[in-house]
Amino acid sequence: MAERILTRNFDVKNAHTLRVYRGGGGYQGWEKAKGMEPGVIAEEVKNSNLRGLGGAGFPTGVKWGFIPKGSTAPRYLVVNADEGEPGTFKDRYLMERDPHALIEGMLIAARAIGSHLGFIYIRGEYVQPWRILSDAVAEAYDAGLLGKNIQGTGFDFEIVVHRGAGAYICGEETGLISSLEGKKGWPKVKPPFPAVKGAFGQPTIVNNVETLACLPHIINRGGEWFAGLGTKTQGGTRLYSVSGHVVRPGLVEAPVSVTLRQIIYDHCGGIPGGRALKAVVPGGSSAAILTPDEIDIPMDVDGPKSKGSMIGSAGIIVMDETVSIPEALMVVARFYAHESCGQCTPCRESTGWIYKISHRIVEGKGRKEDLDTILDVAKRGAGTTICAFYDGAVGPYISYIEKFRSEFEDLIRSSAHA
Amino acid sequence: MPKLTINGKEVEVPEGTNLIEAAKAVGAEVPHYCYHPALSIAGQCRLCMVDIDKVPRPQIACNTQATEGMVVHTETERVLATRRSMMEFHLINHPLDCPVCDQAGECYLQIYYMKHGLYDPRMIDEKVHKPKAVPIGPHVMLDAERCILCSRCVRFCDEITHTGELGIFQRGDQSEIGLFPGKALENKYSGNVIDICPVGALTDRDFRFQVRVWYLDTAKSICNGCARGCNIEVHTNRNRPHHNQGRRVARLKPRFNAEVNQWWVCDEGRYGFKWMDDKSRLTHPLHRAGGQGTEVSWDGALPELVTRLQGCPPDEIGFLASPRMSNEDLWTLKRLAEHLGVRNLDFRVPPRAPGDEDDFLIRADKNPNSRGAELAGVGPGPGGRDAAGMLRAAREKRLKLLWIFHHDLAATSWPEAEVLGAIENVETVIFQGTNANDISARAHLVLPSAACVETEGTFTNFQGRVQRFRTAIPPLGESWPDWMILSFIGKALGASDPVFTAERAEQVFNALAAAVPAFGGMTYRALGDAGRMVTA
């Protein structure tokens, strides 16, 4: 069993408290980082091959470097704790069981980018994590780890915990910023990018909870060590949220070189009841579906990509042979139709349209042209929107049909309208 | 000034120009819904996509600035296919009630479908239904099903009026424009959302279903609602009197002028045209004796006026001009006063209540040409009386003839009893104007003026910008432009000044420009559509 990095405190009683966290070596990364030059911290993070673990997988240290050089404007660090991707629940665990790891990671990131104000944008439905995290922030303030002139370093850093009101799109970084600013959670046209003009018009770095939780370890043990845990292009371990038809669903931490097969069969005990694996979603609902012959891939950013899918948020949804793929598509299409923010025309209209078609197919009223219509609409809308929401929706639309077309066709053939 | 190539044509545009505007410079149309040059970039209709060399996917032209060496294509197969797709997406939930839609003829769903769509519809499922024909303010009707969620109206209320009444509510294809709770779209500029709505979602309660837009004629004009002089178009319905309840003027629309009103006009100006076709319009000269008014011809009215003018010593004549008159009208009057030796001349009449004003377009002075009257020198001659002085003199029976232009003196801040007392004490009261009022009802001679939409001329706005208005419709009944009435009188009086032999307003303007340095060098041609500032 590989070393547990991010989950090392998950089984420790009261690890969410500052006392226990510190007792286990917590805030040592910050102790080290506070004496480091910001550029050195960023360099260490670049060396670690840390990729954004919210879904996009962009190199974290590189992202920090997009803040305009010499800008004297206030810089904000925004934590994306919205975690709305279906099948994904890793950040919830981190915030409930190890909230100070996030706060420590924020301190390190803030020092690296020169930020003095951080926002944690947490999913509104995450009531329990919000309570625990808020308590942890209060503890950090009381201990002088947050606030003005932290530990006499002359460094100021404040954290505001902000609850979202429940919209998937508010996990998209510019939608999140709009929501944080008090506006409708609509993504913003780019350019300008958030690092140049983000929250409240100031340079802003948005990082995911898990990404920031890696930082104390990277600073403590060095970027090279972290890079060595993973693959050539991505360092570290990763939290995989596994749901669906496995014997032991839940959270799995493993180096990113772990294969999807290993996660399903070794970590999660395989498919229950001796049933056969039918399909797997490897990276949250927006990732293209994989078939059983496609699961021998490393679960870093490149593995699922090699099969036309993506690692995304690493939310793995396993489907056994009892699952109706047309029904699964309808469920996922309903989700995207419901959660499209409605800003861009192709996304707003196509998600609703595709849901209606998929629903009609499941109801037994499918027409033979329906599948081609979905595929055509999906492909024509892809890449035409402000944010990646629709591109995310297109993943399942296309892959479910292309990989399981005969199942849809059987259903349509039995329809009176075909 | 970046130089770029669009559709093979090289063009240089100012720094910061987006590709929609840059494409216009080479005559290429990039269709768009959400982009409006006065509003922030929304980038949400996704219709304005263009191909840019070295960029893998089509990009929205509205949010892409022209850069040096950029190579842009607006008509590639991929761009055309993307546009067709966007049109299909825009229309799948549209109710397609075009045959009855009151935006027909001005709807960019129709126009762009014909130019860029022309696909075979594939949507067979139930459309999304949303509220229809919802009044959202005194002037605006919302049909949410027709809305394509371009958000122009929302941005207008956020960024231009800063009133924020509108928002987009719900998500996905359930999204709809609506009012925030407790709000109504009743800001002073609300009608502009109708102009900027590219489809039939926001329509004009005053205009909808009155007349089809393709029956309308258009003339460039200037709003006469206040001293701003907003540039407008007058839309008239001349050939189908059974439409629009017989009104000839169907609506006013703002006309772009970067220096005056940009794209906008206030509601008061937009809807303040009903007097033009009102029953109170004066359509024939009237002679009144013993309280009874009798219609007379101009051939009867003008000699009578000449006789009355000749029968009065100049010091017992008063001319009360109006800042609602054009520069041409005022200059002719000024020359007539000079010819007759009349020194009692003024245009300043205090309104009953102070006009409202804001820091955008609306001016407290509700007259379009106060500045022009000042510049033309419409004021008392040496020893002459101003407006208040004339009224005072009239009350004291020291004025024999008072020629009042347009003013309803009974509706000013002067006490009504004093005004009416003055009128009663004048031997000859002449009222010249467009609409009947308490003064015309008491005048011995009433001369019907053409409305500003029925003639041409110029106004000088408060900034000193001289702007042309053009004839939109013929004068109603027997009404004549003020300058023309005055010219006839001048000619009948034997005055030799060329303004009295003018056949067109332009000739009067040329005379004004030759005589008054502030207007020096100006001609109608030189004024163009945007007008020109006076030199003093």
Side-chain angles (χ1 to χ4, degrees), chain B residues 252-423:
Chain B
L252 306 183
K253 287 277 191 186
R255 179 166 58 90
F256 177 74
N257 186 324
E259 306 297 330
V260 181
N261 54 304
Q262 299 166 312
W263 293 264
W264 322 117
V265 68
C266 73
D267 287 354
E268 202 175 332
R270 180 189 298 268
Y271 298 109
F273 63 86
K274 298 294 170 61
W275 61 272
M276 296 171 185
D277 286 315
D278 191 77
K279 286 191 174 66
S280 66
R281 276 298 297 275
L282 297 166
T283 54
H284 292 83
L286 288 172
H287 172 84
R288 182 174 285 107
Q292 290 297 311
T294 313
E295 278 186 13
V296 291
S297 69
W298 283 109
D299 288 344
L302 293 178
E304 181 186 344
L305 175 53
V306 169
T307 304
R308 286 180 185 245
L309 284 168
Q310 286 172 327
C312 292
D315 282 352
E316 294 183 27
I317 297 174
F319 287 173
L320 193 44
S322 166
R324 303 187 70 74
M325 296 161 79
S326 69
N327 291 319
E328 291 76 359
D329 300 333
L330 292 164
W331 182 243
T332 314
L333 179 61
K334 161 94 172 163
R335 299 299 291 138
L336 184 66
E338 284 170 357
H339 174 76
L340 287 167
V342 171
R343 293 176 300 167
N344 301 322
L345 172 66
D346 199 6
F347 68 93
R348 297 172 189 87
V349 172
R352 176 166 285 171
D356 63 323
E357 183 164 300
D358 64 16
D359 56 4
F360 187 32
L361 298 182
I362 298 171
R363 302 291 299 173
D365 178 4
K366 300 305 173 193
N367 299 295
N369 204 26
S370 299
R371 185 78 190 274
E374 283 166 13
L375 291 167
V378 181
R385 296 184 173 92
D386 65 6
M390 283 185 252
L391 263 285
R392 203 161 41 242
R395 274 199 305 279
E396 293 162 2
K397 297 195 175 184
R398 286 189 285 119
L399 217 56
K400 277 204 169 74
L401 186 148
L402 181 58
W403 193 348
I404 302 162
F405 294 84
H406 297 275
H407 292 288
D408 183 356
L409 297 177
T412 65
S413 68
W414 290 326
E416 189 175 339
E418 285 184 17
V419 168
L420 297 181
I423 299 297

Side-chain angles (χ1 to χ4, degrees), chain A residues 116-354:
Chain A
H116 303 295
L117 180 58
F119 298 92
I120 303 174
Y121 186 95
I122 185 168
R123 189 176 185 194
E125 295 91 329
Y126 274 7
V127 177
Q128 181 75 349
W130 165 67
R131 286 193 180 125
I132 293 171
L133 185 64
S134 299
D135 288 347
V137 169
E139 274 188 307
Y141 268 106
D142 289 345
L145 288 162
L146 292 173
K148 303 285 180 205
N149 189 21
I150 296 166
Q151 298 169 314
T153 55
F155 180 68
D156 304 336
F157 188 62
E158 311 273 350
I159 290 179
V160 174
V161 181
H162 181 100
R163 292 179 69 191
Y168 175 62
I169 196 61
C170 291
E172 193 277 341
E173 68 174 358
T174 57
L176 186 157
I177 288 170
S178 295
S179 176
L180 184 68
E181 290 170 335
K183 301 170 191 160
K184 187 177 171 85
W186 272 11
K188 300 182 181 197
V189 284
K190 292 176 283 229
F193 289 88
V196 177
K197 191 178 176 191
F200 310 103
Q202 307 301 334
T204 300
I205 293 294
V206 183
N207 284 146
N208 171 255
V209 171
E210 187 185 354
T211 311
L212 291 164
C214 291
L215 296 180
H217 307 286
I218 292 170
I219 298 302
N220 263 332
R221 299 167 74 172
E224 260 183 50
W225 161 80
F226 191 84
L229 295 173
T231 59
K232 194 175 165 189
T233 54
Q234 182 176 6
T237 61
R238 179 141 211 202
L239 300 183
Y240 299 92
S241 319
V242 188
S243 62
H245 297 137
V246 287
V247 174
R248 292 189 299 277
L251 201 66
V252 170
E253 182 178 13
V256 296
S257 55
V258 69
T259 67
L260 184 51
R261 181 182 296 281
Q262 286 170 326
I263 292 175
I264 295 170
Y265 288 98
D266 300 343
H267 292 270
C268 295
I271 312 300
R275 293 189 294 272
L277 176 67
K278 185 171 187 178
V280 193
V281 177
S285 67
S286 53
I289 203 165
L290 300 177
T291 49
D293 58 332
E294 295 176 310
I295 63 174
D296 292 306
I297 48 169
M299 287 294 277
D300 61 352
V301 291
D302 298 320
K305 202 187 283 179
S306 69
K307 300 293 180 190
S309 186
M310 64 177 180
I311 186 66
S313 60
I316 299 167
I317 305 166
V318 181
M319 303 182 198
D320 73 14
E321 60 188 325
T322 64
V323 172
S324 157
I325 297 296
E327 278 186 38
L329 177 63
M330 183 195 73
V331 170
V332 81
R334 182 170 56 203
F335 173 79
Y336 285 103
H338 185 254
E339 294 294 341
S340 164
C341 79
Q343 185 176 195
C344 302
T345 305
C347 175
R348 177 183 69 237
E349 304 298 342
S350 301
T351 51
W353 189 8
I354 288 173

